[in-house]
Amino acid sequence: MAQKNIGIIGVGAYLPEKVVTNFDFEKIIDTSDEWIRTRTGIEERRFATENQATSDLGAEAAKKALENAGISADEIDMIILATATPDYLVQNTACIIQELIGAKNAGAIDVNAACSGFVYGLALAKGMVASGINKKVLVIGAEVFSRIVDMEDRNTCVLFGDGAAAAIVTEVECGTGIISEFLGAEADKTGSLRTIAGGSKVPLTREALDKKENFIQMKGQDVFKFAVKALPKATLEALDKASMKASDIDMVIPHQANVRIIEAASKRLEIPIERFYLNLNKYGNTSSASIGIALFEAWEKGLIKKGDVIALTGFGAGLTYASVIIKWSY
Ligand code: UT7
């Protein structure tokens, strides 16, 4: 059987309108614009309104991706939603998005690989199409992290933002598409990035709420150390599978957590920083949405053209890390 070429035919993104600047945080916690900018590169982020859940953001991004791909929602036969902030713990959010966008012929599943989720989703989608199980898969990364950060915890609240992105994965022109993928994981045994309560291990009791265990907790330096190794490693593993070198990459679209992590990766990979697409100054860390949002922006600005080789690389809670190499199809 001839091997299928599987890639992306349309991308979309959605960012909530509400802009929260570093100066806004100066008014509520002991922090400064200078600290946040120099330690992270973040200047502002978007927060969802009270009425917006992850499904609402994801649905808007999905509609845009469908429009850009020129296909209708009923052509989609699978929805893979990457999120760490689902609408509910039980009842998957992909099903809610299926209803919101009218994708009545689609199966729907959530995956949680945290900030690597969008890349994991693309790789899973490729597998579904390659196996013949599905023909057109809608991959979404959507998050409302503003709901799970403690707005009094300066270690986390200034870092994250809300947003969503989507991509349609299907068969593409010969010689283009997702060339290779690397999906990595190692257990985070020390709780360097975790929301403790609300799952099966620690139920959401009054005591847990008093201890604020419903909010995300992070040991920033531990995650930083993991990230500066994981980003180059995942990219190099995927390149190796593609029999390519770092110099073959036209653009790296990394997870947008911290500009210092990306600069360190640029040095290790010996890929100039100019070839990394960065927008974390505007949106902060949107977890599983960040890579998709950056991909959409780069495409919309005309920075990605047919035949370009792009590496999408993420790292995050779990711990997870992942990369896909794509030869752009359109
Ligand atoms: O998607 C993956 C998720 N997360 C990440 O990728 C995060 C990875 N880690 C990081 O990006 C960095 O570790 C941070 C940006 C979180 C922190 O930067 P850092 O250079 O590692 O700072 P630090 O944790 O060593 O803290 C230095 C100081 C501390 O004060 P003391 O103990 O030296 O007095 C912190 O309390 O900075 C303090 N600090 C702040 N000061 C002002 C921590 N957060 C803030 C803040 N404003 N928002």
Side-chain angles (χ1 to χ4, degrees):
M1 201 172 68
Q3 216 186 334
K4 294 175 187 169
N5 293 272
I6 298 155
I8 294 172
I9 59 161
V11 283
Y14 173 77
L15 278 311
E17 277 170 32
K18 187 179 174 189
V19 177
V20 179
T21 67
N22 293 345
F23 299 104
D24 294 324
F25 276 109
E26 283 185 357
K27 294 176 201 146
I28 54 169
I29 51 164
D30 179 16
T31 191
S32 65
D33 170 61
E34 206 260 334
W35 190 97
I36 303 169
R37 254 187 313 103
T38 53
R39 297 289 178 125
T40 71
I42 299 165
E43 291 163 26
E44 56 187 48
R45 70 289 290 146
R46 304 294 180 90
F47 280 178
T49 63
E50 268 175 35
N51 312 329
Q52 283 178 313
T54 293
S55 58
D56 299 305
L57 274 53
E60 290 308 315
K63 284 185 212 161
K64 211 158 199 178
L66 288 166
E67 191 187 313
N68 287 334
I71 64 168
S72 64
D74 53 18
E75 290 180 60
I76 296 295
D77 54 11
M78 177 56 72
I79 299 171
I80 297 175
L81 170 68
T83 188
T85 53
D87 286 16
Y88 307 106
L89 268 185
V90 177
Q91 181 187 9
N92 76 16
T93 306
C95 281
I96 301 171
I97 294 178
Q98 188 227 40
E99 161 78 15
L100 286 172
I101 64 172
K104 54 184 186 301
N105 300 316
I109 186 172
D110 289 5
V111 297
N112 181 350
C115 309
S116 312
F118 195 76
V119 180
Y120 262 77
L122 290 176
L124 291 171
K126 178 185 167 183
M128 302 295 263
V129 177
S131 67
I133 296 175
N134 294 111
K135 285 199 158 49
K136 289 193 176 76
V137 182
L138 168 60
V139 178
I140 304 167
E143 304 281 11
V144 182
F145 256 66
S146 61
R147 297 273 147 72
I148 64 154
V149 294
D150 175 3
M151 290 301 167
E152 292 177 347
D153 175 11
R154 68 177 185 174
N155 291 303
T156 52
C157 70
V158 301
L159 304 176
F160 295 97
D162 303 335
I168 316 289
V169 174
T170 188
E171 279 197 65
V172 290
E173 197 181 302
C174 188
T176 71
I178 301 172
I179 303 169
S180 69
E181 50 289 310
F182 169 78
L183 304 178
E186 60 186 68
D188 170 11
K189 299 193 196 80
T190 58
S192 59
L193 189 49
R194 182 182 284 164
T195 301
I196 294 174
S200 63
K201 187 101 174 167
V202 181
L204 196 55
T205 57
R206 190 160 294 282
E207 194 194 344
L209 282 171
D210 287 343
K211 288 200 273 179
K212 294 191 167 187
E213 287 179 341
N214 54 315
F215 292 125
I216 193 160
Q217 296 179 6
M218 186 176 73
K219 294 175 187 152
Q221 287 195 3
D222 290 358
V223 181
F224 195 98
K225 281 179 204 148
F226 164 73
V228 295
K229 286 193 197 130
L231 213 169
K233 181 173 163 45
T235 312
L236 289 172
E237 293 273 3
L239 278 170
D240 193 46
K241 277 193 178 177
S243 304
M244 286 179 152
K245 304 181 296 299
S247 56
D248 293 325
I249 298 178
D250 294 300
M251 185 184 286
V252 183
I253 303 192
H255 172 46
Q256 310 279 317
N258 186 322
V259 72
R260 291 188 292 137
I261 293 172
I262 296 168
E263 283 166 354
S266 148
K267 285 204 185 91
R268 281 189 194 211
L269 286 166
E270 296 180 9
I271 298 176
I273 192 75
E274 295 72 39
R275 276 199 261 151
F276 284 71
Y277 189 81
L278 296 176
N279 64 2
L280 63 91
N281 61 318
K282 291 188 295 180
Y283 308 129
N285 179 347
T286 57
S287 190
S288 63
S290 89
I291 291 171
I293 294 170
L295 175 66
F296 170 73
E297 267 198 10
W299 170 80
E300 200 181 36
K301 285 182 183 169
L303 300 176
I304 297 175
K305 47 188 194 314
K306 187 173 176 179
D308 281 355
V309 175
I310 298 157
L312 308 185
T313 306
F315 55 88
L319 302 158
T320 58
Y321 54 125
S323 184
V324 292
I325 309 293
I326 304 176
K327 192 163 226 188
W328 202 250
S329 305
Y330 62 100

